[in-house]
Amino acid sequence: PMFENALLDTNEDVRSAAVKGMKLGIETFGEDYPDLLFKQLLRGYSHGNYWIRYHTIVLLSTLLHVLGGDIHKIKPDEEKKQEGVITCYENVISAIYILSFDSVERVSFTASSAWQLFVEKRLGRHLVAPFNDSKESLRTLIFNMIKVISCEYQEVAHSGKRALNSLMGKIFVKLLDESFDIINAAFEGITDGEAIHRFDYFQSLVEACDEGINKYRSNVEALIGKMIIHDNIHVKNMSSEVFKAFRKTLNNEDFVRDFLKDNFCSTEENDPELLNKKTTFLEALIADPYLQVSPILTSICLNPKENEESLYLSRAKLLRLLGDKFLPDPAKMLSLILKLILEGKALLEIEETSKYLANDTYVDLGTSPEVIEELTLTIKNLIPKIPAEKIYEWQEYTEELYKECVSKDKVGVYIVFMSGFIHHPRFQSDLYVEMHMKNICRNIDTANQDLLSKLVDDLNLELSQSLRTLRLKLDPSLRMANSFAKCARIEIEEKMGIDEDDETFDLETLPIFENQKGCQILIQLSLYTLLHGRIENRLDAAFLLGVIAKSSPIENYKKSIIKIAGGLIRIVNDKFDDDLKSTIFRALRRMFEKGSKLLRPMAAPLKTTFNQYAKHEVTLSEDVKEERDKLKEVVDATLLKKKSKGG
C-alpha cells in the first residue's frame, strides 16, 4: 500500500523512486518468495489508474526476469498442490493477457512484450495456448475477466471486453462451456455482489458472440429466465439488457416471441408471485420501442392456437399484468375483455396485434372463476388508461352493462367496472353516481362472498374519496354519500321487512352486517352523510345507524361506538326537524341496549341533552318525546348500574 500511494503521487521523482525501491525488493527476495510477491503485484492489474497498471506489468516482468524468465517456476510441485497451496501461475498469465488489451498503449505494449517473452517463447505455440490446454487456466482467466469487466472504471472494463473478444475466434466452444458453468454458479450460495459481477460478464459474453451462439440458445434462455425472477433488483434490470443483447446477436425475430411465450404463458405462470416477479423485466422490454414487445405479448395472451385449458389462467394473468401499463388501445381491449367475461368469446379487432393475429380471430379464455377474476382485475387496470374522448362513449353503456351482468350473474364485474369509471378524471360522475349507488344497494343483501368483497371494496373507495375532499377542505362531493344513504335505506327496508313503528320486527341480519369491514364502511358512510349531508339524507343516515346498531354484532363496531354516539348527539342537539331527532334517539337507544358498558362515557352528555329538551317540552312532537323517554330510561339504567357497582 505504501508503494501504491507513492506510484499515484503527482511528482514524477516520487514515482520513479518508488519503482526503483520495489524493483530492488523484487531482485532481493524474488527467488525466495515469488508467490508472495506475485500475489501483491496482481492487486494492481485492474486498478483504475493507468500508472498502477503500467508499473504492475513492469514489476511482473522484473520478477519473471529474476526467475530466469521461466513462468512455470510459479507453479508449486504436486505435493504442495495436494496440500491446497494456491498457485499464482494462472493469475499471472491471466493478468498479462488482459493487460495486453489495455486502452492505454503504453500498458498494452509492455504487457504484449511480456507475453511474447515469457509465455509464447516458452510454450512455442499460439497466443491462447495456456487457456486452450488447461481448464484451470481458462477458468482463472474467466474469473479475472469478470473482475475487470465489472470494474467501475470504464477503460479497465473495456480492456476486459477486448480480451474476451480476442478469445471468441480462438477457443469459442471451450470459453462458452466454462463461462456458462461459472455464470450458473451465480445462483448458488454466493453474495449478490459477486453474482452481479458474473452477470455483467454474461452480458459482455453475449455481446461478443456471433450467430454461432445459436447452438447455446437454450443455455442463454435458461440463464435469462433465472435472472428475471432473481430477488436482487439489479439482477432483474440486467436480465433485460442481456435479453436485448442476445436478440441483437441472434438477429432472429422469432426469438422474442418464443422466449416470451415460454416464460410468460405456461402452467408455471399460474403462480401469481412468480409472474409478479417478472414485471421489472417486462417494463424494461416494453419501454424499448425497437423491440415492440407489447403487441407480441398481447397476441400471446389472445392467440386461439394456445387454447389449452391449462394455459387459460396463465394467459389471463398475463393480460392482468399487462393491463396496468402495457396493453395497446385500452378502449378496444376493455371492450374485448368485457365480451370475454360476459359472452365467453370475443372477436379480435386490435390493429396493433394484426401482425401476429388476424383481426377475424375469435378469442377464448374459458369461463373458470379464476380466469374471470383475472379478467375482472384487468378491467380495473385498464380503465385509468382510457383516453378522455372514449370515456364519454362508455358512460351511456353503464346501465346496460349492469343489466347484462345481472343476467349473467356477474354483478362483481359491473362493480369493478364502475369503481374505475366513477373515479376517472374525465367521467361525468354526477350524472351516474346515483344510478351506481342504486345498483350497489340492490345487491347489499348478497350472500356471495366474492361479490360482497367487491361491493365492500367499492364502498371503501367511495368513502376514501369523500373523506379526502373533506380533509383537503375542498367543497366535499356529497352526492355519492347522499345517494348511498337514500338507496341503502330503501333496499334495507325492503329486504329486511323493517317497519319502524313495530319494535318487534324480526331482523334477519344481512351478510354485510356480519362482515366487519363492510359494517365499518357502512358506519363511516352513514356518519359522513349524517354530519355533512342534506336534511333528508341525514335522516336516512340516522336510520342506517339504528339498523346497524340493532342487527350487527357489537364486535363489529365497538371500536367506533363512541364516535357514532358522539356524531348522533351532536346532530340531535342542533336545530333539525322532529323526524330526524326521533330517528337519532331511536338509534342511540339501540346502541345503549347493546353496548351500555361501552357507552357509559356518553351518558353524561345525554343528560345535558335531556335537560335542554325539557326546556322546550311543549314544542316537541309526540314521536320525539316517546323516543327520548325510551332512551332516557335506558341511559338512567346505565347510570344506576354504574352507581351500584361503585357503591
Side-chain angles (χ1 to χ4, degrees):
M2 180 180 69
F3 284 108
E4 182 179 321
N5 292 335
L7 289 173
L8 292 172
D9 198 279
T10 54
N11 189 303
E12 189 175 349
D13 292 337
V14 174
R15 294 199 300 271
S16 298
V19 172
K20 288 178 181 177
M22 293 171 75
K23 282 185 175 180
L24 180 60
I26 288 170
E27 290 168 355
T28 305
F29 303 106
E31 289 191 14
D32 296 327
Y33 306 103
D35 276 8
L36 180 61
L37 288 169
F38 274 121
K39 286 176 184 177
Q40 292 301 314
L41 291 174
L42 287 170
R43 293 169 51 192
Y45 80 95
S46 59
H47 199 281
N49 187 290
Y50 84 91
W51 276 109
I52 299 291
R53 299 199 303 276
Y54 171 68
H55 287 113
T56 294
I57 188 62
V58 168
L59 294 170
L60 278 173
S61 300
T62 302
L63 181 51
L64 288 169
H65 274 297
V66 169
L67 296 174
D70 188 357
I71 201 167
H72 289 89
K73 285 189 177 180
I74 309 168
K75 284 190 174 183
D77 57 39
E78 290 303 314
E79 184 181 344
K80 285 186 178 179
K81 213 171 187 181
Q82 288 171 6
E83 292 173 2
V85 177
I86 299 173
T87 175
C88 286
Y89 170 76
E90 287 81 9
N91 281 320
V92 171
I93 61 172
S94 295
I96 297 174
Y97 185 75
I98 291 170
L99 286 171
S100 67
F101 294 93
D102 199 278
S103 55
V104 177
E105 187 176 353
R106 188 175 192 176
V107 178
S108 59
F109 178 79
T110 306
S112 296
S113 300
W115 183 271
Q116 291 174 1
L117 182 62
F118 301 117
V119 180
E120 283 190 2
K121 286 188 177 179
R122 291 288 172 178
L123 296 172
R125 293 164 62 194
H126 63 76
L127 181 65
V128 294
F131 312 122
N132 189 44
D133 296 344
S134 167
K135 179 176 180 177
E136 193 172 313
S137 295
L138 180 56
R139 287 182 69 84
T140 305
L141 174 63
I142 292 171
F143 277 113
N144 284 317
M145 285 194 294
I146 289 170
K147 180 182 177 182
V148 172
I149 287 171
S150 60
C151 180
E152 61 181 311
Y153 302 104
Q154 286 302 307
E155 65 175 23
V156 177
H158 286 315
S159 67
K161 291 178 181 180
R162 283 191 288 271
L164 179 61
N165 282 326
S166 75
L167 291 170
M168 280 297 176
K170 302 178 177 71
I171 51 172
F172 179 82
V173 174
K174 285 188 177 182
L175 177 66
L176 263 63
D177 286 342
E178 290 300 325
S179 294
F180 286 133
D181 282 346
I182 291 169
I183 297 165
N184 260 314
F187 299 100
E188 301 170 5
I190 65 171
T191 65
D192 283 353
E194 291 174 325
I196 289 170
H197 291 166
R198 296 191 192 189
F199 296 134
D200 269 336
Y201 170 76
F202 182 31
Q203 181 179 343
S204 299
L205 182 74
V206 170
E207 290 171 343
C209 288
D210 56 22
E211 292 181 7
I213 199 175
N214 194 44
K215 293 185 293 185
Y216 294 86
R217 178 170 166 173
S218 60
N219 303 69
V220 177
E221 289 180 356
L223 285 169
I224 296 173
K226 289 181 181 179
M227 291 175 70
I228 291 172
I229 58 173
H230 200 280
D231 291 333
N232 187 289
I233 187 63
H234 297 293
V235 176
K236 288 182 181 180
N237 290 332
M238 291 169 70
S239 67
S240 60
E241 297 303 316
V242 176
F243 177 87
K244 287 187 274 189
F246 190 53
R247 185 243 175 267
K248 187 176 180 181
T249 300
L250 280 182
N251 195 26
N252 183 344
E253 287 190 13
D254 292 337
F255 160 68
V256 177
R257 180 176 174 80
D258 292 344
F259 180 87
L260 294 175
K261 178 184 169 185
D262 291 342
N263 283 273
F264 291 90
C265 187
S266 67
T267 52
E268 289 182 0
E269 307 315 315
N270 292 338
D271 177 1
E273 282 191 28
L274 188 63
L275 191 60
N276 289 336
K277 280 185 175 183
K278 299 181 178 182
T279 309
T280 304
F281 176 77
L282 280 183
E283 288 175 346
L285 291 196
I286 291 169
D288 189 333
Y290 176 73
L291 290 175
Q292 296 185 340
V293 168
S294 183
I296 297 175
L297 286 166
T298 307
S299 66
I300 289 172
C301 296
L302 304 178
N303 192 350
K305 293 180 180 178
E306 309 297 338
N307 263 16
E308 295 178 35
E309 288 190 21
S310 60
L311 296 180
Y312 282 157
L313 184 56
S314 65
R315 290 163 61 198
K317 284 182 182 293
L318 181 56
L319 266 179
R320 185 254 304 162
L321 188 67
L322 295 173
D324 187 28
K325 298 174 183 175
F326 313 128
L327 285 178
D329 201 336
K332 285 187 178 179
M333 281 302 306
L334 180 59
S335 177
L336 182 143
I337 289 169
L338 281 171
K339 287 178 182 176
L340 282 175
I341 293 172
L342 298 173
E343 300 174 16
K345 62 179 181 178
L347 185 66
L348 184 64
E349 299 176 313
I350 300 173
E351 185 178 343
E352 285 85 343
T353 62
S354 58
K355 180 179 178 181
Y356 307 98
L357 291 175
N359 269 340
D360 58 354
T361 299
Y362 271 94
V363 180
D364 181 6
L365 288 177
T367 56
S368 72
E370 294 83 6
V371 168
I372 298 300
E373 180 64 19
E374 291 297 331
L375 294 177
T376 304
L377 292 173
T378 306
I379 290 174
K380 183 178 179 181
N381 291 337
L382 271 174
I383 289 173
K385 313 301 178 207
I386 304 291
E389 64 274 12
K390 298 290 184 181
I391 283 293
Y392 307 123
E393 298 175 14
W394 279 98
Q395 287 180 163
E396 299 175 3
Y397 174 59
T398 51
E399 184 61 18
E400 182 185 337
L401 175 65
Y402 176 74
K403 293 175 183 175
E404 197 170 352
C405 287
V406 170
S407 68
K408 300 288 176 64
D409 195 23
K410 291 185 172 69
V411 178
V413 175
Y414 163 82
I415 291 174
V416 171
F417 175 90
M418 285 302 295
S419 293
F421 261 97
I422 280 181
H423 293 96
H424 194 287
R426 295 302 181 93
F427 189 79
Q428 297 174 355
S429 57
D430 284 356
L431 302 177
Y432 294 89
V433 71
E434 188 164 348
M435 175 205 76
H436 178 49
M437 286 297 107
K438 184 177 180 181
N439 290 334
I440 284 284
C441 292
R442 283 173 177 170
N443 296 276
I444 206 165
D445 63 334
T446 181
N448 182 313
Q449 290 302 308
D450 179 61
L451 177 56
L452 179 62
S453 176
K454 287 183 171 62
L455 187 148
V456 168
D457 287 344
D458 177 73
L459 291 176
N460 191 34
L461 186 63
E462 309 295 348
L463 174 66
S464 300
Q465 181 72 7
S466 298
L467 293 179
R468 186 184 70 83
T469 58
L470 185 66
R471 187 170 59 251
L472 295 175
K473 297 183 179 179
L474 303 173
D475 189 15
S477 174
L478 280 165
R479 182 179 290 272
M480 183 279 303
N482 285 328
S483 299
F484 173 76
K486 174 185 173 183
C487 298
R489 176 174 185 171
I490 293 170
E491 293 297 327
I492 287 174
E493 281 183 326
E494 179 183 333
K495 295 178 188 305
M496 296 180 70
I498 295 176
D499 180 0
E500 280 295 280
D501 295 329
D502 181 6
E503 281 296 329
T504 62
F505 65 85
D506 182 22
L507 283 174
E508 195 172 309
T509 302
L510 300 182
I512 195 168
F513 294 141
E514 298 282 359
N515 183 296
Q516 189 170 32
K517 182 180 177 183
C519 184
Q520 283 293 325
I521 290 169
L522 291 180
I523 288 170
Q524 291 185 67
L525 277 169
S526 300
L527 266 179
Y528 181 78
T529 309
L530 179 73
L531 297 173
H532 307 287
R534 294 192 297 259
I535 297 294
E536 63 271 24
N537 297 123
R538 292 182 192 231
L539 180 62
D540 296 330
F543 164 82
L544 290 174
L545 289 170
V547 173
I548 292 168
K550 188 161 185 176
S551 62
S552 184
I554 186 71
E555 290 77 15
N556 282 357
Y557 62 90
K558 65 181 182 181
K559 290 183 179 179
S560 54
I561 195 168
I562 295 292
K563 184 179 179 181
I564 301 167
L568 289 167
I569 293 170
R570 173 184 160 187
I571 299 300
V572 84
N573 285 333
D574 214 332
K575 295 178 180 179
F576 290 107
D577 60 34
D578 286 353
D579 283 346
L580 178 57
K581 290 177 179 178
S582 61
T583 305
I584 288 176
F585 281 139
R586 187 182 301 117
L588 283 167
R589 173 171 52 80
R590 288 174 177 171
M591 290 173 66
F592 267 89
E593 287 172 347
K594 257 194 174 178
S596 58
K597 289 182 180 180
L598 297 169
L599 284 170
R600 280 175 185 167
M602 306 307 295
L606 273 173
K607 293 294 284 184
T608 304
T609 298
F610 296 148
N611 292 335
Q612 290 295 324
Y613 268 70
K615 294 177 184 179
H616 306 284
E617 190 77 18
V618 292
T619 63
L620 299 177
S621 70
E622 291 302 316
D623 281 345
V624 173
K625 289 178 184 178
E626 182 183 353
E627 291 298 340
R628 179 203 60 184
D629 292 343
K630 288 180 180 179
L631 172 61
K632 188 174 183 297
E633 186 179 335
V634 175
V635 172
D636 288 342
T638 301
L639 289 173
L640 185 62
K641 285 180 184 177
K642 182 180 179 183
K643 189 175 180 181
S644 300
K645 189 175 180 181

